[in-house]
Amino acid sequence: QVHERGTTGATWGSKMGITKGQSVGFAASNSVELAITILGLFYGGFRATAINLVAGAQTIGYVLEHSDCCLILQDASGELS
């Protein structure tokens, strides 16, 4: 079941136009869904870049500038804890 959901995520990334090797950022609370999303990114050949929103603006800016994220994912609720 986890493999199937991860593969679905990889397919979704490709349909979004993300190519292998590109970085996809994520800002989300720790959860099973997040773990499966990260697996899906790996299955698709994408780089998964964690964005820690409590790290401060300077650190977040550095991560975004140096990772060259083509897309940033967040929790569906928009609320991070």
Side-chain angles (χ1 to χ4, degrees):
Q1 193 176 35
V2 170
H3 176 74
E4 181 181 317
R5 288 174 62 191
T7 302
T8 300
T11 302
W12 173 85
S14 295
K15 286 182 180 178
M16 291 291 296
I18 304 167
T19 59
K20 290 184 179 191
Q22 282 190 296
S23 183
V24 176
F26 62 90
S29 301
N30 293 335
S31 66
V32 172
E33 290 77 19
L34 175 60
I36 293 169
T37 298
I38 293 169
L39 283 174
L41 293 172
F42 292 154
Y43 288 165
F46 316 125
R47 291 182 297 163
T49 302
I51 301 167
N52 182 351
L53 297 180
V54 297
Q58 184 175 0
T59 300
I60 293 169
Y62 178 88
V63 169
L64 293 175
E65 181 179 337
H66 288 84
S67 67
D68 197 27
C69 291
C70 63
L71 178 72
I72 299 173
L73 306 173
Q74 72 174 39
D75 282 349
S77 68
E79 297 177 15
L80 303 174
S81 54

